[in-house]
Amino acid sequence: MPVHVTLATYSDWMYAAALVIYIGALLLHAAQLAGRKARLPELVGVAAGSAERTGAPAQAEAPVAAGAPADPVEAAAPGIGRSERLGRMAVSLTVLGALVHAGSLLLRGLAVERVPWGNMYEFGSSICLVAVVTWLVVVRREPAVLRLGAFVLLPIVILLFTSGTLLYTKAAPLMPALQSYWIVVHVSAAVIASGVLLVAGVASLLFLARSANDRDGDRFARLARRLPAAGVLDRVAYRGTVFAFPVWTFAIITGAIWAETAWGRYWGWDPKETVAFVAWVIYAGYLHARATAGWRNGRAAWVNVAGFAVMVFNLFFVNLVVAGLHSYAGVG
Amino acid sequence: MGEAIGVLRNTWRGLTSMRTALVLLFLLALAALPGALLPQRSLNASKVDEYRAQHPALGPILERLGAFDVFASPWFAAIYLLLFVSLVGCLVPRTLDYARSARARPVGTPRNLARLPHHRAATVGLTPDEVVETANDRLRGWRVERRVEAGGAHTLSAEKGYLREVGNLVFHFALLALLVAFAVGKLFGYEGQVIVLANGGQFCNSGLLSYDSFRPGLRVDGTDLDPFCVRVDGFTADYDETTGQARSFSADLAYQDAADIEGGRWERSELRVNHPLRLAGDRVYLLGHGYAPIFTVTFPDGQQRTNTIQWRPMDPQTLLSEGATKFDPPGVTDAQQRRERQLAVTGLLAPTAFFDGSLLTSSFAEPRDPAVAVDVLRGDLGNDSGRGQSIFTVDQSMVETGRLVRVARQNLRPGEELTLDDGTRVRFDGVEQWASLQVSHDPAQLWVLVSALLVLAGLGVSLTIKRRRFWVRATPAQGHDLDGRTVVELGGLARTDQAGYGEEFARLATGVTTALDERAETERDARCRST
């Protein structure tokens, strides 16, 4: 199995290009948020009269007073505002970035004649692509989340940057332990679940900020007024998790089947297996919490955030620090 | 007495409540974490010892807590057993409930449909009976019940998505089955490792002693193992020229199962990573490989001894290996004398030698130009000390106490030899490959797989199917110019959290109202013609 060096080089260039494009989209999203900040008090002032003077939490009350829809910003901006235009440009840029990113992975795969998720650099890159695509799907189905762009793209850009620098691995054939068709099934399921759960985790985190602000207008005031309604955030988090949980279950089961073929046992409490199990239990807890009175909102969101934290821990700490059978990072 | 029953009942209710189950779930997650963060004896005992040496204060406490054996510890077992008791306590009543509700008729129509999350109203020129009949036709696949209320209104209750609860129950019962099958595997399974020389070396699954290491299940005592034998006739590895990374390993294998042993037949197979040999009850895996140097010692009296002992790889990339090949002087029966003249050849083995000055390293994993850098030690190997010995090292305490003394140090290539002060000659003849095999036995793993697939299927069903209800109330319209017309109210409710029932309800409601309008039109046409 030779390595096609030219293709691998092009793949690396496209990776860098995708990262730059994502950063551009991130900046546009940031400008979108900043634009909001500058315009809000003035517009709300017009709508609600003396809201500013009385010191009332303007964003929460103004629309109600004016009888406008629940969303102060959408209500204030006639037609498509400047900030929404910025947001849409950011999304278009993200689509471009995703295409270049997918091209980078495709070329990497062609260069080494195998699936492009055989080491941690490729794994991280694949997860990011899934997260970006998930984000684009969510934006299409729930336009209200457009404002989340910066918050979703930020962890993706960080993860891509880390993968492309610290974890970068030259294009190479797979080590014998990974030469199995199960790598196609098991790892892709893990990639898809991780990417979707990343978006869900961010949504839950922002849900917590937003609902804390709903209870007490002083908390996260600068952040929360730029966020969509708590209900929207909650829905994104829940639907994402409901989609990803069975995929994650599938990833664990196929992992066990592969482990039986490769290591002689289907389950051996290898650190990666253990943490995958912990994440599974936490996400199962999230789904149950959603059906339990008293846990439904705040606590369930905390559980989802904990699940996300465990996934990140599983990706970095277990692969890089803890030595186990899953140490395929190819770094250090 | 009554009080005691009350306490018991409350405990049971507490244990089987969802809140308790949630807390137990999180405890389970929390309890599993040290299993990933701390070295575990079941995975790597030497790492545990290393950790304990580094943390003399914390180590014994963790040891006592069972933190180096999390998954065999009583507290971990306590959590999952409580969780499963709680699960059973929740599942049994739910199954009974489901069995009852599976035969029950859909519930009556709520009085005020306008208060439901999904609602629509219309007025049509049909009788209440016709309205309900038309709606009934549109609701294929739904379980429906028609009722007539006291005020003359006709209602239709429809319900769908009963499979959701089935999926839910299957998921949880399959989890129970998974745990049971897992436990059975732990009781009746075993795992053993053995290193076999790849020059026709043989291994037979005849008992504990055939293995280098053996991990039995609780009900396995090492007798009555499934009889089979394997013979490794060769080993090939393929490496990338530039990076030195291995591309593939393959052991050329001959094996015989119980019937073959009777008949003395051998069957051929190829053992590779990810391609185990599957026999009736056992699986044989290729775990690793390495080199065994061949040393021949010619003693002063002319007697020769040749030993080929596996050395262990230190560097997986270049397979630079270390080890100790030990010799007993031939023909010496006196224990005292023997303890003065035992020999050990220890040091490094490089499959492709690269000398940095006289320092030996390996530049490639293939045996292209093997060489060894050895110390020869003479004296008491400590075999009679009663302590267990590693085959890869000499007993350092013997060296420290001066009972085992270094008498030579030299680099050797195949065919070269060194001579000791008493005339003993040690020759390095070359290297053999060895393969490390693992034998696994788990009689319940198929059931684990079946349970796991049921878990997945149940999960898929319970997360995709929504339990939802749809109601129709047709009330004769009141008012002088509305005679013969009927007020139709539609209501919908999903019993599932975040079900996204809205879209389906809208589609359904539009379907029903359209059908009603169409029917009203045909009825009117028919009436017009008849008058």
Side-chain angles (χ1 to χ4, degrees):
Chain A
M1 243 190 317
V3 174
H4 306 284
V5 182
T6 322
L7 290 180
T9 310
Y10 281 131
S11 162
D12 290 351
W13 287 349
M14 286 176 89
Y15 186 90
L19 183 55
V20 169
I21 296 172
Y22 287 146
I23 293 176
L26 177 61
L27 291 176
L28 281 176
H29 275 302
Q32 172 196 9
L33 293 179
R36 242 162 240 298
K37 182 179 150 198
R39 292 159 59 105
L40 258 175
E42 171 208 350
L43 287 165
V44 170
V46 171
S50 57
E52 262 187 323
R53 206 170 355 104
T54 55
Q59 284 69 36
E61 289 184 3
V64 181
D71 191 327
V73 181
E74 303 304 320
I80 299 173
R82 190 178 73 95
S83 72
E84 173 147 6
R85 230 178 5 249
L86 284 172
R88 289 187 182 184
M89 279 163 63
V91 170
S92 309
L93 212 52
T94 311
V95 172
L96 178 67
L99 289 174
V100 177
H101 190 173
S104 146
L105 275 173
L106 183 71
L107 285 187
R108 177 56 92 125
L110 290 174
V112 288
E113 295 179 8
R114 60 170 169 82
V115 288
W117 46 73
N119 54 46
M120 221 178 134
Y121 156 69
E122 296 165 3
F123 189 64
S125 174
S126 307
I127 290 178
C128 286
L129 182 61
V130 171
V132 168
V133 171
T134 307
W135 158 244
L136 291 173
V137 170
V138 170
V139 152
R140 198 177 160 79
R141 290 173 60 158
E142 297 254 14
V145 300
L146 188 61
R147 276 170 271 170
L148 293 185
F151 303 100
V152 176
L153 282 182
L154 185 64
I156 292 174
V157 163
I158 292 174
L159 182 55
L160 265 184
F161 184 76
T162 328
S163 296
T165 51
L166 293 177
L167 307 176
Y168 179 76
T169 318
K170 268 200 186 139
L174 287 176
M175 59 176 84
L178 293 179
Q179 289 165 15
S180 164
Y181 51 85
W182 285 110
I183 194 175
V184 182
V185 186
H186 165 62
V187 184
S188 65
V191 162
I192 292 171
S194 305
V196 176
L197 288 173
L198 187 150
V199 176
V202 169
S204 268
L205 207 57
L206 296 174
F207 167 84
L208 285 171
R210 174 74 203 220
S211 56
N213 179 264
D214 286 349
R215 280 194 304 277
D216 173 357
D218 290 339
R219 299 184 61 198
F220 305 108
R222 288 164 61 87
L223 170 67
R225 67 159 174 250
R226 301 189 166 94
L227 296 176
V232 175
L233 292 167
D234 185 49
R235 194 156 61 233
V236 170
Y238 180 74
R239 291 202 175 159
T241 313
V242 159
F243 173 81
F245 185 65
V247 181
W248 185 240
T249 312
F250 179 74
I252 292 179
I253 293 174
T254 50
I257 296 174
W258 190 6
E260 194 272 340
T261 314
W263 301 327
R265 83 288 182 295
Y266 57 85
W267 193 267
W269 300 109
D270 177 65
K272 191 93 179 181
E273 293 172 349
T274 305
V275 181
F277 167 76
V278 169
W280 188 86
V281 166
I282 292 179
Y283 281 113
Y286 170 73
L287 294 182
H288 282 87
R290 292 294 308 236
T292 307
W295 285 70
R296 192 153 294 151
N297 293 320
R299 287 193 202 172
W302 275 115
V303 177
N304 206 18
V305 170
F308 177 51
V310 171
M311 293 296 282
V312 173
F313 176 80
N314 203 5
L315 177 62
F316 284 100
F317 194 80
V318 175
N319 274 40
L320 299 177
V321 183
V322 183
L325 290 167
H326 277 86
S327 302
Y328 303 125
V331 280
Chain B
M1 184 66 194
E3 209 170 294
I5 291 177
V7 170
L8 273 179
R9 193 173 50 216
N10 280 341
T11 314
W12 178 250
R13 279 196 191 142
L15 185 60
T16 56
S17 79
M18 184 69 110
R19 252 163 255 256
T20 313
L22 270 177
V23 171
L24 285 171
L25 260 183
F26 296 129
L27 271 181
L28 185 69
L30 205 61
L33 270 183
L37 298 180
L38 292 171
Q40 294 295 298
R41 187 148 283 137
S42 58
L43 295 176
N44 196 336
S46 60
K47 273 251 175 72
V48 176
D49 297 336
E50 201 178 296
Y51 185 89
R52 284 198 55 172
Q54 283 168 2
H55 303 84
L58 197 58
I61 302 175
L62 290 174
E63 182 76 61
R64 191 169 302 170
L65 290 173
F68 299 122
D69 248 322
V70 167
F71 304 107
S73 69
W75 42 271
F76 190 76
I79 295 172
Y80 71 74
L81 286 178
L82 274 177
L83 186 62
F84 277 88
V85 169
S86 158
L87 186 56
V88 171
C90 176
L91 282 186
V92 170
R94 270 184 86 156
T95 312
L96 296 177
D97 275 354
Y98 179 74
R100 266 190 298 268
S101 79
R103 275 172 286 125
R105 312 304 311 160
V107 296
T109 308
R111 191 157 298 160
N112 191 351
L113 288 178
R115 284 170 68 175
L116 293 176
H118 310 289
H119 173 256
R120 199 180 287 186
T123 310
V124 292
L126 291 169
T127 66
D129 191 42
E130 286 168 337
V131 168
V132 168
E133 194 185 298
T134 313
N136 196 1
D137 290 344
R138 294 290 308 184
L139 292 167
R140 288 202 189 284
W142 290 66
R143 184 176 296 179
V144 292
E145 177 78 357
R146 290 166 69 166
R147 295 187 178 89
V148 181
E149 291 179 348
H154 287 233
T155 69
L156 183 82
S157 310
E159 191 156 354
K160 203 177 181 179
Y162 289 82
L163 262 183
R164 179 190 180 85
E165 183 69 358
V166 174
N168 211 334
L169 292 171
V170 165
F171 170 77
H172 288 97
F173 276 115
L175 274 181
L176 280 176
L178 183 78
L179 182 76
V180 172
F182 187 86
V184 170
K186 287 278 166 267
L187 286 177
F188 297 100
Y190 58 81
E191 220 175 73
Q193 280 102 27
V194 61
I195 285 179
V196 181
L197 285 179
N199 59 354
Q202 257 190 56
F203 160 79
C204 284
N205 192 32
S206 49
L208 284 179
L209 291 177
S210 338
Y211 288 99
D212 296 338
S213 70
F214 190 74
R215 203 169 348 157
L218 292 172
R219 309 283 303 174
V220 175
D221 57 8
T223 60
D224 282 337
L225 304 182
D226 297 322
F228 70 86
C229 290
V230 293
R231 195 180 72 212
V232 182
D233 290 333
F235 186 91
T236 33
D238 177 28
Y239 299 93
D240 187 277
E241 275 306 318
T242 49
T243 62
Q245 199 194 343
R247 285 202 205 111
S248 70
F249 304 121
S250 152
D252 184 11
L253 202 73
Y255 67 95
Q256 41 184 197
D257 59 19
D260 291 330
I261 293 175
E262 297 272 319
R265 282 185 309 275
W266 287 93
E267 294 175 51
R268 300 226 62 89
S269 174
E270 195 198 8
L271 205 58
R272 280 181 290 145
V273 180
N274 281 317
H275 294 270
L277 170 69
R278 290 178 189 275
L279 298 166
D282 299 73
R283 290 113 52 200
V284 183
Y285 296 84
L286 178 63
L287 285 194
H289 75 122
Y291 296 104
I294 309 165
F295 289 106
T296 300
V297 177
T298 311
F299 290 90
D301 58 359
Q303 292 204 64
Q304 281 195 339
R305 289 290 180 273
T306 299
N307 268 351
T308 312
I309 299 293
Q310 64 263 28
W311 285 20
R312 72 177 163 209
M314 299 156 70
D315 179 351
Q317 192 80 7
T318 65
L319 287 184
L320 182 70
S321 309
E322 60 175 356
T325 304
K326 300 168 189 176
F327 292 88
D328 263 338
V332 179
T333 46
D334 178 49
Q336 185 62 40
Q337 273 191 33
R338 191 172 66 225
R339 283 211 290 270
E340 284 168 8
R341 292 174 47 198
Q342 288 176 320
L343 287 180
V345 185
T346 75
L348 298 175
L349 160 69
T352 302
F354 177 79
F355 287 99
D356 184 7
S358 67
L359 206 69
L360 176 68
T361 57
S362 171
S363 59
F364 207 76
E366 248 174 21
R368 293 177 177 175
D369 178 20
V372 290
V374 293
D375 286 348
V376 180
L377 306 172
R378 189 170 58 205
D380 183 1
L381 290 173
N383 292 349
D384 309 333
S385 67
R387 278 193 302 271
Q389 264 204 21
S390 162
I391 61 162
F392 299 115
T393 55
V394 293
D395 187 340
Q396 274 304 313
S397 66
M398 290 294 157
V399 179
E400 281 155 19
T401 55
R403 280 186 276 176
L404 191 59
V405 183
R406 193 178 89 199
V407 288
R409 163 173 284 184
Q410 201 166 321
N411 295 334
L412 298 174
R413 293 196 184 258
E416 292 179 353
E417 64 178 14
L418 60 85
T419 311
L420 302 181
D421 51 6
D422 65 352
T424 304
R425 284 172 295 150
V426 177
R427 190 173 72 229
F428 172 49
D429 293 322
V431 296
E432 285 286 356
Q433 301 225 47
W434 54 257
S436 144
L437 305 181
Q438 169 166 315
V439 176
S440 303
H441 175 80
D442 183 342
Q445 69 169 7
L446 181 66
W447 294 108
V448 172
L449 179 63
V450 171
S451 312
L453 293 178
L454 283 174
V455 164
L456 191 61
L459 187 63
V461 167
S462 79
L463 288 181
T464 46
I465 291 181
K466 295 164 234 159
R467 182 80 177 267
R468 55 241 194 250
R469 289 168 170 171
F470 188 84
W471 289 284
V472 182
R473 172 177 283 119
T475 319
Q478 308 285 318
H480 54 95
D481 56 342
L482 292 172
D483 236 16
R485 291 179 72 81
T486 299
V487 177
V488 182
E489 276 185 291
L490 308 175
L493 177 67
R495 292 177 61 188
T496 316
D497 180 39
Q498 290 280 4
Y501 179 38
E503 286 166 31
E504 189 191 356
F505 177 82
R507 215 169 42 242
L508 209 59
T510 309
V512 168
T513 46
T514 317
L516 289 175
D517 288 341
E518 278 168 11
R519 177 154 179 193
E521 213 162 291
T522 32
E523 298 273 328
R524 200 174 52 235
D525 290 351
R527 262 200 297 276
C528 290
R529 269 197 296 280
S530 64
T531 47

mmCIF file of all heavy atoms in Angstrom, chain A residues 172-188:
data_model
loop_
_atom_site.group_PDB
_atom_site.id
_atom_site.type_symbol
_atom_site.label_atom_id
_atom_site.label_comp_id
_atom_site.label_asym_id
_atom_site.label_seq_id
_atom_site.Cartn_x
_atom_site.Cartn_y
_atom_site.Cartn_z
ATOM 1 N N ALA A 172 0.049 7.650 6.276
ATOM 2 C CA ALA A 172 0.740 6.374 6.347
ATOM 3 C C ALA A 172 -0.290 5.257 6.345
ATOM 4 O O ALA A 172 -1.450 5.486 6.694
ATOM 5 C CB ALA A 172 1.588 6.301 7.623
ATOM 6 N N PRO A 173 0.139 4.064 5.961
ATOM 7 C CA PRO A 173 -0.805 2.943 6.007
ATOM 8 C C PRO A 173 -1.178 2.618 7.453
ATOM 9 O O PRO A 173 -0.529 3.082 8.382
ATOM 10 C CB PRO A 173 -0.022 1.779 5.396
ATOM 11 C CG PRO A 173 1.200 2.369 4.804
ATOM 12 C CD PRO A 173 1.446 3.669 5.467
ATOM 13 N N LEU A 174 -2.220 1.820 7.594
ATOM 14 C CA LEU A 174 -2.683 1.451 8.928
ATOM 15 C C LEU A 174 -1.761 0.429 9.562
ATOM 16 O O LEU A 174 -1.208 -0.424 8.885
ATOM 17 C CB LEU A 174 -4.076 0.830 8.845
ATOM 18 C CG LEU A 174 -5.222 1.767 8.557
ATOM 19 C CD1 LEU A 174 -6.496 0.960 8.421
ATOM 20 C CD2 LEU A 174 -5.356 2.781 9.664
ATOM 21 N N MET A 175 -1.633 0.527 10.885
ATOM 22 C CA MET A 175 -0.916 -0.529 11.587
ATOM 23 C C MET A 175 -1.772 -1.804 11.556
ATOM 24 O O MET A 175 -2.991 -1.737 11.406
ATOM 25 C CB MET A 175 -0.602 -0.108 13.014
ATOM 26 C CG MET A 175 -1.798 0.229 13.860
ATOM 27 S SD MET A 175 -1.312 0.585 15.535
ATOM 28 C CE MET A 175 -0.850 2.293 15.436
ATOM 29 N N PRO A 176 -1.114 -2.985 11.652
ATOM 30 C CA PRO A 176 -1.846 -4.237 11.456
ATOM 31 C C PRO A 176 -3.087 -4.358 12.349
ATOM 32 O O PRO A 176 -4.111 -4.878 11.907
ATOM 33 C CB PRO A 176 -0.820 -5.310 11.812
ATOM 34 C CG PRO A 176 0.491 -4.669 11.577
ATOM 35 C CD PRO A 176 0.317 -3.222 11.881
ATOM 36 N N ALA A 177 -3.006 -3.848 13.591
ATOM 37 C CA ALA A 177 -4.127 -4.008 14.509
ATOM 38 C C ALA A 177 -5.380 -3.331 13.968
ATOM 39 O O ALA A 177 -6.496 -3.705 14.305
ATOM 40 C CB ALA A 177 -3.772 -3.443 15.874
ATOM 41 N N LEU A 178 -5.202 -2.311 13.125
ATOM 42 C CA LEU A 178 -6.358 -1.562 12.628
ATOM 43 C C LEU A 178 -6.838 -2.059 11.270
ATOM 44 O O LEU A 178 -7.801 -1.537 10.730
ATOM 45 C CB LEU A 178 -6.009 -0.073 12.538
ATOM 46 C CG LEU A 178 -5.776 0.638 13.870
ATOM 47 C CD1 LEU A 178 -5.410 2.081 13.642
ATOM 48 C CD2 LEU A 178 -7.014 0.560 14.737
ATOM 49 N N GLN A 179 -6.128 -3.052 10.706
ATOM 50 C CA GLN A 179 -6.511 -3.508 9.375
ATOM 51 C C GLN A 179 -7.685 -4.468 9.456
ATOM 52 O O GLN A 179 -7.534 -5.675 9.534
ATOM 53 C CB GLN A 179 -5.320 -4.179 8.682
ATOM 54 C CG GLN A 179 -4.253 -3.187 8.278
ATOM 55 C CD GLN A 179 -2.961 -3.874 7.935
ATOM 56 O OE1 GLN A 179 -2.937 -5.084 7.736
ATOM 57 N NE2 GLN A 179 -1.882 -3.131 7.890
ATOM 58 N N SER A 180 -8.873 -3.907 9.457
ATOM 59 C CA SER A 180 -10.070 -4.716 9.552
ATOM 60 C C SER A 180 -11.210 -3.882 9.007
ATOM 61 O O SER A 180 -11.185 -2.654 9.097
ATOM 62 C CB SER A 180 -10.332 -5.083 11.016
ATOM 63 O OG SER A 180 -11.649 -5.529 11.176
ATOM 64 N N TYR A 181 -12.224 -4.543 8.448
ATOM 65 C CA TYR A 181 -13.343 -3.739 7.941
ATOM 66 C C TYR A 181 -14.129 -3.117 9.084
ATOM 67 O O TYR A 181 -14.899 -2.196 8.884
ATOM 68 C CB TYR A 181 -14.265 -4.568 7.048
ATOM 69 C CG TYR A 181 -14.723 -5.868 7.645
ATOM 70 C CD1 TYR A 181 -15.833 -5.913 8.484
ATOM 71 C CD2 TYR A 181 -14.048 -7.056 7.388
ATOM 72 C CE1 TYR A 181 -16.242 -7.101 9.057
ATOM 73 C CE2 TYR A 181 -14.453 -8.248 7.957
ATOM 74 C CZ TYR A 181 -15.547 -8.261 8.788
ATOM 75 O OH TYR A 181 -15.965 -9.436 9.360
ATOM 76 N N TRP A 182 -13.859 -3.576 10.293
ATOM 77 C CA TRP A 182 -14.580 -2.976 11.420
ATOM 78 C C TRP A 182 -14.178 -1.518 11.628
ATOM 79 O O TRP A 182 -14.889 -0.748 12.253
ATOM 80 C CB TRP A 182 -14.340 -3.774 12.704
ATOM 81 C CG TRP A 182 -15.098 -5.051 12.711
ATOM 82 C CD1 TRP A 182 -14.576 -6.303 12.614
ATOM 83 C CD2 TRP A 182 -16.515 -5.208 12.786
ATOM 84 N NE1 TRP A 182 -15.590 -7.229 12.621
ATOM 85 C CE2 TRP A 182 -16.783 -6.592 12.732
ATOM 86 C CE3 TRP A 182 -17.589 -4.322 12.889
ATOM 87 C CZ2 TRP A 182 -18.076 -7.114 12.777
ATOM 88 C CZ3 TRP A 182 -18.877 -4.846 12.933
ATOM 89 C CH2 TRP A 182 -19.100 -6.217 12.878
ATOM 90 N N ILE A 183 -13.007 -1.148 11.098
ATOM 91 C CA ILE A 183 -12.624 0.262 11.272
ATOM 92 C C ILE A 183 -13.603 1.154 10.524
ATOM 93 O O ILE A 183 -13.883 2.279 10.919
ATOM 94 C CB ILE A 183 -11.169 0.514 10.813
ATOM 95 C CG1 ILE A 183 -10.705 1.877 11.331
ATOM 96 C CG2 ILE A 183 -11.023 0.449 9.307
ATOM 97 C CD1 ILE A 183 -9.265 2.194 11.050
ATOM 98 N N VAL A 184 -14.154 0.636 9.426
ATOM 99 C CA VAL A 184 -15.116 1.423 8.663
ATOM 100 C C VAL A 184 -16.383 1.623 9.503
ATOM 101 O O VAL A 184 -16.923 2.721 9.593
ATOM 102 C CB VAL A 184 -15.462 0.695 7.339
ATOM 103 C CG1 VAL A 184 -16.417 1.535 6.524
ATOM 104 C CG2 VAL A 184 -14.208 0.389 6.563
ATOM 105 N N VAL A 185 -16.830 0.563 10.142
ATOM 106 C CA VAL A 185 -18.110 0.592 10.847
ATOM 107 C C VAL A 185 -17.965 1.244 12.231
ATOM 108 O O VAL A 185 -18.640 2.221 12.546
ATOM 109 C CB VAL A 185 -18.641 -0.852 11.005
ATOM 110 C CG1 VAL A 185 -20.019 -0.832 11.606
ATOM 111 C CG2 VAL A 185 -18.637 -1.564 9.679
ATOM 112 N N HIS A 186 -17.052 0.702 13.003
ATOM 113 C CA HIS A 186 -16.924 1.126 14.406
ATOM 114 C C HIS A 186 -16.479 2.582 14.511
ATOM 115 O O HIS A 186 -17.088 3.382 15.209
ATOM 116 C CB HIS A 186 -15.927 0.199 15.103
ATOM 117 C CG HIS A 186 -15.426 0.693 16.418
ATOM 118 N ND1 HIS A 186 -16.260 0.904 17.494
ATOM 119 C CD2 HIS A 186 -14.186 1.027 16.845
ATOM 120 C CE1 HIS A 186 -15.547 1.337 18.515
ATOM 121 N NE2 HIS A 186 -14.281 1.425 18.146
ATOM 122 N N VAL A 187 -15.427 2.925 13.801
ATOM 123 C CA VAL A 187 -14.878 4.270 13.981
ATOM 124 C C VAL A 187 -15.810 5.309 13.366
ATOM 125 O O VAL A 187 -15.991 6.388 13.937
ATOM 126 C CB VAL A 187 -13.451 4.361 13.412
ATOM 127 C CG1 VAL A 187 -12.861 5.723 13.689
ATOM 128 C CG2 VAL A 187 -12.578 3.294 14.025
ATOM 129 N N SER A 188 -16.429 4.989 12.232
ATOM 130 C CA SER A 188 -17.322 6.000 11.650
ATOM 131 C C SER A 188 -18.501 6.259 12.579
ATOM 132 O O SER A 188 -18.927 7.406 12.739
ATOM 133 C CB SER A 188 -17.792 5.564 10.271
ATOM 134 O OG SER A 188 -18.591 4.417 10.384
#
